[in-house]
Amino acid sequence: MAAANLASNPPSLPRTLNRAIPKPFFLKPISTLKPRWVTRAVLSTSEPKTQKFQHCFSKSEDGFLYCEGVKVEDVMRSAEKRPFYLYSKSQITRNVEAYKDALEGLDSIIGYAIKANNNLKILEHLRKLGCGAVLVSGNELKLALHAGFDPARCIFNGNGKILEDLVVAAQEGVFVNIDSEFDLENIVEAARISGKKVNVLLRINPDVDPQVHPYVATGNKNSKFGIRNEKLQWFLDAIKAHPKELKLVGAHCHLGSTITKVDIFRDAAVLMVAFIDQIRAQGFEIDFLNIGGGLGIDYYHSGAILPSPRDLIDTVRELVVSRNLNLIIEPGRSLIANTCCLVNRVTGVKTNGTKNFIVIDGSMSELIRPSLYDAYQHIELASPTPSDSKVSTFDVVGPVCESADFLGKNRELPTPPKGCGLVVHDAGAYCMSMASTYNLKMRPPEYWVEEDGRLSKIRHAEMFDDHLRFFEGL
Ligand SMILES: Cc1ncc(COP(=O)(O)O)c(C=O)c1O
């Protein structure tokens, strides 16, 4: 049956299809975000079972912040440079174990999305825990190989993959997602150059509304990613025409990021399985359903009940089993975001009469999500303040010469003394990997607390001399 028929006659009508798009909840002003309201916003229509969550950062009764058993203030004293990123290695392990437990009984690959955080030590740890890797550039592919990931558990994604990177992917035997007509041509060319047949998946847009910020929505019809569904038949014919170069092994989708309702994944999986039925009906023996990444986390620290990896997997399990599929998932944020804080030092406090500012040494250069997406990340002080320090509403800002340089707005905090530690929580994903050297703020060092409580540096600070090196000999 032609793909066009399938596109116009989906097997069931998902509740999250992009027909009437509800006003996204992230557009509400932060001041309206009351804990109860947030809870309502994140609950799925089918109530998720909750998992008891053990957080790696906690405050002692006397007001000091700890990462596992290590006092953050002590780390500040010993760090090479401030600000810095501080991770819990154990929390990374716990997050992976939650996915592994959820996937028990299914053939599956946990493909960690390297774009979320590309620290080599973290990658090696995730690889040892059994993860595969999801790559969106040639350098991420090279880094994954360097970190020892099994190429047969790696997936190369992207709407603009270039030929030379595709050749490496073909040589190494990683899965490659077909994103467009020209992408298919390039993959065929890469297969010829490398003399290897490439295992490919078709990236399809199920057009399910992920109800997230538009900048992190990817699986809708107007997305720059994925094939045009009406052209599915064209892609199947093109793959059939290249039996020496391409082996179609599955279908892929990625709906978006920070998704907090698992029904959205279920609705997409219903559509994807219908596509798989159609593709199989044409004689293709495809085994893999890749539902991408995208599970959100509790950035608000509001106590909201968010879906867990188990809730996510349970919602698609029956579909996967019914078609005897191997499930690929591509989590980034939900594996790494909550394992880390950006630790800053307060440079000073100022007011303009109507607004109060806490100025810190960290900035949009080290952590750009608030500036880029108006994203909320929880902020707290790392040490107790004097008993007479006044609680006020502050914007927490950096020293970068941009008004968009803020880490948090309208935060109620005790007035911190100069030099006090201030942390931005849930900074493990899309923070360091998006850091820049804007205003020549060199990229920060990274540390983690090992399972035995030792502190180890896992990335050196970038220094001014590193910048000068780009000009050596010119
Ligand atoms: C194709 C693909 N897979 C996986 C991910 C990881 O998503 P997340 O970090 O939200 O789990 C992304 C990120 O947007 C992506 O583009």
Side-chain angles (χ1 to χ4, degrees):
M1 190 201 295
N5 288 352
L6 179 66
S8 54
N9 298 306
S12 68
L13 199 58
R15 286 176 293 276
T16 46
L17 264 180
N18 272 336
R19 301 258 157 69
I21 302 177
K23 196 169 184 239
F25 66 82
F26 57 82
L27 290 181
K28 300 238 179 198
I30 283 170
S31 56
T32 67
L33 290 171
K34 307 245 165 56
R36 253 178 59 79
W37 182 86
V38 172
T39 303
R40 254 185 291 129
V42 298
L43 276 177
S44 167
T45 48
S46 61
E47 289 295 308
K49 286 165 245 113
T50 58
Q51 267 188 343
K52 199 169 176 313
F53 179 69
Q54 184 190 350
H55 203 278
C56 53
F57 288 92
S58 55
K59 270 253 166 96
S60 63
E61 270 174 20
D62 55 357
F64 287 97
L65 187 70
Y66 285 77
C67 176
E68 305 292 352
V70 176
K71 205 184 220 179
V72 172
E73 200 178 69
D74 292 343
V75 188
M76 286 179 74
R77 271 193 284 272
S78 64
E80 175 186 19
K81 197 167 155 262
R82 278 173 307 265
F84 60 88
Y85 282 99
L86 177 62
Y87 299 81
S88 155
K89 191 175 182 184
S90 304
Q91 186 67 54
I92 300 174
T93 309
R94 289 195 286 269
N95 291 350
V96 175
E97 292 303 329
Y99 269 107
K100 279 179 155 171
D101 289 349
L103 287 162
E104 222 174 87
L106 292 180
D107 288 331
S108 63
I109 297 176
I110 302 174
Y112 166 66
I114 290 189
K115 64 188 271 203
N117 187 312
N118 55 33
N119 182 294
L120 182 59
K121 297 287 155 198
I122 291 175
L123 296 185
E124 286 168 351
H125 183 53
L126 289 166
R127 189 255 301 155
K128 283 180 200 153
L129 292 169
C131 292
V134 170
L135 326 156
V136 290
S137 73
N139 282 341
E140 284 192 358
L141 169 56
K142 286 180 207 154
L143 189 66
L145 297 172
H146 185 85
F149 281 96
D150 175 359
R153 294 171 71 75
C154 289
I155 303 101
F156 190 19
N157 271 310
N159 64 317
K161 303 185 282 295
I162 57 172
L163 183 60
E164 65 185 79
D165 295 337
L166 285 168
V167 171
V168 180
Q171 274 161 353
E172 297 293 338
V174 308
F175 292 111
V176 178
N177 282 339
I178 298 176
D179 190 86
S180 62
E181 291 85 340
F182 74 79
D183 197 38
L184 184 143
E185 277 171 28
N186 286 345
I187 299 167
V188 168
E189 179 76 10
R192 286 185 184 142
I193 293 169
S194 65
K196 296 257 177 77
K197 195 162 169 171
V198 183
N199 287 327
V200 291
L201 293 90
L202 274 170
R203 178 159 182 173
I204 294 171
N205 285 323
D207 201 24
V208 167
D209 177 12
Q211 300 175 24
V212 297
H213 191 288
Y215 290 5
V216 291
T218 52
N220 51 317
K221 197 171 170 9
N222 294 327
S223 164
K224 73 167 184 169
F225 302 101
I227 65 165
R228 204 174 136 202
N229 296 356
E230 293 83 350
K231 287 201 75 181
L232 178 63
Q233 193 57 53
W234 183 93
F235 282 94
L236 296 179
D237 291 341
I239 292 166
K240 275 184 197 159
H242 294 99
K244 287 203 197 103
E245 293 89 357
L246 305 177
K247 179 171 177 356
L248 185 63
V249 297
H252 169 263
C253 68
H254 173 70
L255 308 174
S257 205
T258 67
I259 299 171
T260 52
K261 295 180 183 173
V262 287
D263 291 10
I264 291 167
F265 291 99
R266 161 90 193 173
D267 291 346
V270 167
L271 292 169
M272 292 300 291
V273 159
F275 279 114
I276 284 176
D277 289 345
Q278 292 296 314
I279 296 168
R280 281 179 168 172
Q282 294 203 20
F284 288 97
E285 289 175 10
I286 64 172
D287 291 329
F288 291 92
L289 168 62
N290 184 337
I291 58 166
L295 190 62
I297 65 142
D298 179 18
Y299 278 114
Y300 286 93
H301 289 210
S302 62
I305 299 165
L306 285 158
S308 64
R310 180 169 298 281
D311 297 320
L312 166 61
I313 302 304
D314 281 355
T315 199
V316 299
R317 176 178 285 273
E318 180 204 312
L319 278 168
V320 171
V321 171
S322 71
R323 303 303 197 283
N324 200 18
L325 287 164
N326 192 319
L327 181 67
I328 302 178
I329 52 166
E330 304 184 332
R333 191 184 311 276
S334 54
L335 280 181
I336 198 71
N338 69 2
T339 69
C340 172
C341 276
L342 178 69
V343 182
N344 311 272
R345 193 159 71 169
V346 173
T347 309
V349 173
K350 64 188 270 189
T351 182
N352 61 16
T354 48
K355 239 185 188 323
N356 304 314
F357 299 93
I358 297 176
V359 184
I360 57 174
D361 50 7
S363 70
M364 67 186 290
S365 299
E366 294 83 10
L367 197 157
I368 200 174
R369 293 187 66 255
S371 309
L372 189 61
Y373 309 127
D374 211 6
Y376 180 95
Q377 290 187 221
H378 193 63
I379 287 177
E380 67 179 320
L381 302 180
S383 322
T385 49
S387 54
D388 61 346
S389 63
K390 193 174 157 221
V391 174
S392 296
T393 303
F394 292 99
D395 280 5
V396 178
V397 301
V400 161
C401 196
E402 293 288 340
S403 293
D405 178 30
F406 62 90
L407 283 304
K409 286 196 164 164
N410 298 319
R411 303 301 174 90
E412 227 173 67
L413 290 164
T415 306
K418 264 188 193 174
C420 183
L422 177 149
V423 303
V424 181
H425 278 284
D426 304 307
Y430 307 105
C431 292
M432 181 59 171
S433 63
M434 284 191 177
S436 74
T437 57
Y438 188 44
N439 281 206
L440 271 194
K441 284 183 99 288
M442 310 313 290
R443 269 177 279 255
E446 295 181 290
Y447 297 84
W448 67 16
V449 177
E450 308 258 8
E451 286 95 344
D452 62 5
R454 270 180 309 124
L455 182 75
S456 303
K457 184 155 73 164
I458 55 170
R459 179 173 166 140
H460 297 298
E462 219 167 286
M463 296 298 188
F464 176 64
D465 285 351
D466 295 317
H467 182 70
L468 289 183
R469 216 161 285 147
F470 292 118
F471 309 95
E472 267 171 20
L474 302 180

